[in-house]
Amino acid sequence: MPTITCHFPITVRVTGSPSPAALQRLGEVVEEALIARLRFARARIAAAGYTEIIPAEEPDRSWAAP
């Protein structure tokens, strides 16, 4: 089975001096956006006929605040 490598550019611009809590939330938002894009890509690939997609594991969120 061939390997498909995808690139998802993400640009985050931060202005000012965000608090540690704001930076942590930013990381969570970026992670959620990436997960959404990966789900979209999997759906598009499956729709193109490549149905044997191995889903990516859920991300390790142990770093996130409870």
Side-chain angles (χ1 to χ4, degrees), residues 1-2 5 17 23-24 29 37 40 43 45 51 59 65-66:
M1 178 176 203
T5 303
S17 300
L23 286 175
Q24 181 171 343
V29 169
R37 293 295 294 167
F40 174 78
I45 292 168
T51 57

Side-chain angles (χ1 to χ4, degrees), residues 11-31:
T11 301
V12 177
R13 289 188 176 89
V14 178
T15 58
S17 300
S19 68
L23 286 175
Q24 181 171 343
R25 180 65 186 135
L26 175 63
E28 293 166 0
V29 169
V30 169
E31 182 178 0

Side-chain angles (χ1 to χ4, degrees), residues 4-6 10 18 21 25 28 38 40 45 47-48 50 54 59 66:
I4 299 172
T5 303
C6 300
I10 297 176
R25 180 65 186 135
E28 293 166 0
L38 289 172
F40 174 78
I45 292 168
Y50 299 95
I54 301 171

